[in-house]
Amino acid sequence: MEMESLTIFCAVTSELSVTQAAARLGRAPSSVTTRIQQLEADIGAQLFVRTNKRMALTAAGERFLEYAQRLLALAAEARHVVTGGREGGTLRVGSMESTAASRLPALLAAYHARYPDTRLALSTGPSRPLIEQVRTGLLDCAFVALPPAFGGAATLEELGLASASVWREELCLLLPASEGPVRRAVDVRTRSLAAFPQGCTYRSIAEEVLGVAGSTQWRVQELSSYHTMIACVAAGACVTLLPASVLALSDAPATLKTLSVGQADTLLVWRAGFDVPAFQHLLVQLSNPQENIVNL
């Protein structure tokens, strides 16, 4: 099983087209097809279903994809470590949507200015899936918030992960203008919560604060962006929970009401023993906030 074949497989998986994958890789389509056939023969399983010009991963292909990505990442990590970071390498960073919006632009811009040869690959998602992707090696590190029931740093250690607290966020409930005077979460009359899908820590906190679990009155609208959540609150349709730092970046109407519901730490998590230069540079960047100022 050669690294080149894994690279081709991942490219075809991304494009779901031999022709497009070949163009992306700068190879002849026949060469890509041959490589995929050789890989399937080597593994002993069909990786793609081919119908006319359409392609889709088989169940075996879906399972193999994660391993292929991990093998390629491990190979890249090995090259990066043994060369002392000379080649720059790639740092795969995961983040909550809120952190990516309010905290990472300055940090990553400063990082890129200081280490331009390192490619930063950023992906976003809820905290629990991000933690799992770090654990399995699909991500090198991730900025997450731990839900109250998670168990804290001790649980992370049991998963083979290290962590460091990097930011503390003030959390607030954003309420429609139609809400009456609200001093406590139990005073909220709106019975619809806008939130990210399950696995989002802020959703868990909101459900706990509002008493959503076990209630037949509450409805949860799963949305994919804070912009949409704020718009729904402005329309009077729901409430949402978000960091004050994200709210400060939005154009939310001044008529909307807020209620403070405490604080939550944002952690950087990574696999214990992960010591590639690109990641160590990120740790240094985080420990020296003044270095996150880019002089243009």
Side-chain angles (χ1 to χ4, degrees):
M1 190 183 304
E2 299 177 0
M3 291 294 124
E4 188 174 5
S5 295
L6 297 181
T7 300
I8 292 172
F9 168 71
C10 288
V12 175
T13 298
S14 176
E15 303 291 346
L16 289 179
S17 165
V18 167
T19 302
Q20 293 178 20
R24 172 174 152 187
L25 297 170
R27 304 176 67 102
S30 59
S31 172
V32 171
T33 298
T34 298
R35 282 283 191 169
I36 293 298
Q37 292 172 343
Q38 290 174 343
L39 184 60
E40 289 177 324
D42 184 21
I43 294 172
Q46 185 178 357
L47 300 176
F48 293 97
V49 175
R50 302 164 180 82
T51 305
N52 296 325
K53 294 184 178 181
R54 296 179 179 272
M55 298 184 71
L57 282 170
T58 63
E62 291 178 352
R63 289 193 297 270
F64 183 68
L65 176 59
E66 180 178 331
Y67 289 100
Q69 292 171 331
R70 288 164 62 183
L71 286 168
L72 289 171
L74 188 59
E77 178 184 329
R79 285 194 297 271
H80 189 47
V81 170
V82 299
T83 61
R86 187 175 61 250
E87 297 181 356
T90 297
L91 185 64
R92 300 164 302 155
V93 182
S95 174
M96 298 180 289
E97 289 282 349
S98 58
T99 304
S102 64
R103 302 291 187 178
L104 294 191
L107 172 71
L108 298 186
Y111 185 101
H112 176 66
R114 193 178 182 97
Y115 308 105
D117 292 335
T118 297
R119 176 176 173 267
L120 292 168
L122 178 66
S123 58
T124 59
S127 289
R128 282 188 178 273
L130 290 175
I131 290 171
E132 180 62 15
Q133 289 173 52
V134 174
R135 188 189 70 81
T136 58
L138 293 179
L139 289 173
D140 297 322
C141 59
F143 293 95
V144 302
L146 301 182
F150 187 82
T155 302
L156 290 174
E157 291 177 6
E158 292 175 2
L159 295 174
L161 302 176
S163 65
S165 179
V166 289
W167 296 294
R168 176 157 291 178
E169 299 290 356
E170 297 289 337
L171 303 181
C172 61
L173 281 172
L174 187 64
L175 311 172
S178 58
E179 278 284 345
V182 176
R183 294 184 176 180
R184 301 173 301 167
V186 293
D187 298 328
V188 175
R189 295 177 302 175
T190 306
R191 283 294 181 265
S192 180
L193 171 67
F196 286 109
Q198 289 287 358
C200 172
T201 293
Y202 295 154
R203 170 177 173 163
S204 298
I205 293 173
E207 289 180 345
E208 182 175 307
V209 166
L210 295 168
V212 173
S215 172
T216 57
Q217 298 179 345
W218 276 96
R219 183 168 65 95
V220 179
Q221 298 183 56
E222 293 190 351
L223 301 173
S224 59
S225 77
Y226 282 114
H227 292 294
T228 307
M229 294 178 199
I230 292 172
C232 288
V233 175
C238 58
V239 303
T240 193
L241 183 144
L242 73 172
S245 60
V246 173
L247 182 59
L249 294 174
S250 75
D251 56 355
T255 54
L256 300 185
K257 300 176 181 179
T258 60
L259 178 66
S260 175
V261 292
Q263 300 175 323
D265 285 343
T266 298
L267 307 179
L268 178 66
V269 299
W270 65 94
R271 294 185 304 283
F274 185 67
D275 194 33
V276 303
F279 176 67
Q280 293 303 315
H281 295 160
L282 179 65
L283 290 181
V284 171
Q285 201 81 25
L286 285 166
S287 64
N288 296 283
Q290 288 300 315
E291 295 189 7
N292 297 332
I293 300 174
V294 183
N295 296 316
L296 299 178

